[in-house]
Amino acid sequence: MNFRKPILLPLFFLFLIVLSCSDDDSAVKEDYYYTTPETYTFQRDAASSVDFSGQSARILMLDEMSSYVKNQTTNSLIVDDSKLVSMYANTNNQFSSEVLNVSDRQLKNKTAASQDYFTLFNGGGSVTEQVAVRSFFETQFLDLNIASLGANASNGMAGKYGIGVAARYFSANGLEPVQVFLKGTIGATFLDQVVNNYLSLNKLDENDNRINNTNKVLDGGNNYTKMEHYWDEAFGYVFGATGDKFLSEYITKVNADVDFNTIKNDISLAFRKGRAAIVANDYATRDAQINIIKEKLALVVAVRSVYYLQVGKSKLLTDNGAAAFHDLSEGYGFIMSLRYTNKPNTNNPYFSKSEVDAMLASLLSGTNGFWDIDTLSPKLDAIATQIASRFGFTVAQAAIVN
């Protein structure tokens, strides 16, 4: 009778086999199979699961405030600052749309109101700053009223410059209050809500949000989870209106520059990919898209800050400089907005409040602000270079005319 001898593996090889099996067993692999839609369209049970109506309403509110000031200026009419104060807080039925008047939405209570910067006080925010920012915007309404009372704008004198659709109301220091408010609100309200509130992990994942999203527990009687809805609200502040308005308008403008001509698709794709990842419970991909959105939206604000400083500089030697003040005021508002950016993985702005305040003070540091034209150009170049260097582009790259 023949017996086969057992094959004995050396202990070294046996150890490798055991180790290999152990590694395979302990590895946690998650495979996600989902597609990113071509448009921001998401459904559950054949019905839309997307809602950003509140954000659309606030965009329309700001748009109507802008239109009101434009109409008064074009027709040499007095700007009613109390009307603007009411529109800002949505009181006293000041909007042409009854839908807006009866809604519980407003711009004021969303200004400097993000969870990360102004509730948890990351990013250097405080209640004091919040109150000051809102008060500053309301001061711009009073400045508009003063400028609209009939005088012609001149050195140290608030008033009107230009005629017809080219007319502008300026403060005594050369600032155009409506542009400071509009561009400042892009940052202090819209951008702050996007990157420091609705895309904050402190909000997206607060309480049981992640568990509920994973298990698809819907938010009350709505067709979305809380996490899905928060993401939609962030999207709404950017793309929530028909046509390009405010943030989306300037994304399009920056995208027109050959040096930044992928930024619109980058932002749109990140929003769509992140929302699809939430539906699929792919939180790592979601978080990666948050960083892309934070970076790209901050870049939009930075590029337009530099752009307006340079366009304003080029106009300083014409029309006694007053033609430049419109562009410089837009630049002023966008520089304000830099304070509300959020640098990925830091939960802090690209420029601190103190840095932003220093740049704004420099712009107005001469006699009667912008009217001190002889010393303005060097300051514009210094600030433009400071901003561009922080973001890694050149002043020349941001100076395309559009």
Tab-separated table of all heavy atoms in Angstrom, residues 16-29:
chain	number	residue	atom	x	y	z
A	16	LEU	N	3.025	34.053	5.071
A	16	LEU	CA	2.615	35.003	4.040
A	16	LEU	C	1.174	34.770	3.604
A	16	LEU	O	0.421	35.710	3.378
A	16	LEU	CB	3.544	34.894	2.827
A	16	LEU	CG	4.961	35.447	3.006
A	16	LEU	CD1	5.743	35.273	1.700
A	16	LEU	CD2	4.939	36.908	3.396
A	17	ILE	N	0.804	33.473	3.494
A	17	ILE	CA	-0.563	33.159	3.086
A	17	ILE	C	-1.561	33.647	4.120
A	17	ILE	O	-2.569	34.276	3.811
A	17	ILE	CB	-0.719	31.644	2.848
A	17	ILE	CG1	0.110	31.227	1.627
A	17	ILE	CG2	-2.183	31.261	2.654
A	17	ILE	CD1	0.179	29.727	1.436
A	18	VAL	N	-1.267	33.378	5.390
A	18	VAL	CA	-2.162	33.804	6.466
A	18	VAL	C	-2.270	35.328	6.514
A	18	VAL	O	-3.346	35.898	6.642
A	18	VAL	CB	-1.665	33.263	7.828
A	18	VAL	CG1	-2.480	33.869	8.971
A	18	VAL	CG2	-1.754	31.747	7.842
A	19	LEU	N	-1.108	36.007	6.364
A	19	LEU	CA	-1.098	37.452	6.405
A	19	LEU	C	-1.911	38.046	5.266
A	19	LEU	O	-2.693	38.975	5.445
A	19	LEU	CB	0.345	37.971	6.339
A	19	LEU	CG	0.536	39.491	6.392
A	19	LEU	CD1	0.001	40.035	7.705
A	19	LEU	CD2	2.000	39.850	6.208
A	20	SER	N	-1.775	37.441	4.087
A	20	SER	CA	-2.508	37.914	2.925
A	20	SER	C	-4.002	37.769	3.125
A	20	SER	O	-4.774	38.689	2.852
A	20	SER	CB	-2.061	37.175	1.670
A	20	SER	OG	-2.833	37.567	0.566
A	21	CYS	N	-4.413	36.617	3.632
A	21	CYS	CA	-5.842	36.395	3.875
A	21	CYS	C	-6.370	37.371	4.918
A	21	CYS	O	-7.463	37.904	4.791
A	21	CYS	CB	-6.075	34.958	4.343
A	21	CYS	SG	-5.780	33.736	3.043
A	22	SER	N	-5.551	37.616	5.955
A	22	SER	CA	-5.978	38.520	7.006
A	22	SER	C	-6.175	39.929	6.467
A	22	SER	O	-7.146	40.597	6.801
A	22	SER	CB	-4.918	38.523	8.119
A	22	SER	OG	-5.239	39.475	9.101
A	23	ASP	N	-5.253	40.375	5.584
A	23	ASP	CA	-5.381	41.711	5.016
A	23	ASP	C	-6.644	41.849	4.185
A	23	ASP	O	-7.352	42.837	4.242
A	23	ASP	CB	-4.156	42.031	4.136
A	23	ASP	CG	-2.921	42.323	4.989
A	23	ASP	OD1	-3.096	42.515	6.199
A	23	ASP	OD2	-1.801	42.331	4.437
A	24	ASP	N	-6.939	40.798	3.377
A	24	ASP	CA	-8.130	40.845	2.534
A	24	ASP	C	-9.394	40.922	3.371
A	24	ASP	O	-10.341	41.632	3.038
A	24	ASP	CB	-8.188	39.609	1.622
A	24	ASP	CG	-7.132	39.685	0.515
A	24	ASP	OD1	-6.619	40.797	0.282
A	24	ASP	OD2	-6.826	38.646	-0.083
A	25	ASP	N	-9.408	40.170	4.457
A	25	ASP	CA	-10.613	40.119	5.285
A	25	ASP	C	-10.860	41.427	6.019
A	25	ASP	O	-11.999	41.815	6.247
A	25	ASP	CB	-10.506	38.982	6.311
A	25	ASP	CG	-10.573	37.618	5.623
A	25	ASP	OD1	-11.048	37.568	4.479
A	25	ASP	OD2	-10.130	36.628	6.246
A	26	SER	N	-9.776	42.113	6.406
A	26	SER	CA	-9.949	43.311	7.221
A	26	SER	C	-10.162	44.562	6.383
A	26	SER	O	-10.598	45.583	6.888
A	26	SER	CB	-8.721	43.515	8.129
A	26	SER	OG	-7.565	43.747	7.331
A	27	ALA	N	-9.823	44.530	5.092
A	27	ALA	CA	-9.968	45.717	4.253
A	27	ALA	C	-11.443	46.043	4.036
A	27	ALA	O	-12.253	45.161	3.757
A	27	ALA	CB	-9.289	45.496	2.905
A	28	VAL	N	-11.787	47.304	4.198
A	28	VAL	CA	-13.153	47.739	3.974
A	28	VAL	C	-13.202	48.451	2.637
A	28	VAL	O	-12.613	49.513	2.454
A	28	VAL	CB	-13.629	48.681	5.094
A	28	VAL	CG1	-15.043	49.176	4.797
A	28	VAL	CG2	-13.575	47.989	6.431
A	29	LYS	N	-13.887	47.880	1.687
A	29	LYS	CA	-13.967	48.459	0.359
A	29	LYS	C	-15.407	48.888	0.083
A	29	LYS	O	-16.335	48.111	0.267
A	29	LYS	CB	-13.518	47.450	-0.708
A	29	LYS	CG	-12.063	47.026	-0.568
A	29	LYS	CD	-11.683	46.031	-1.664
A	29	LYS	CE	-10.219	45.616	-1.540
A	29	LYS	NZ	-9.849	44.617	-2.579
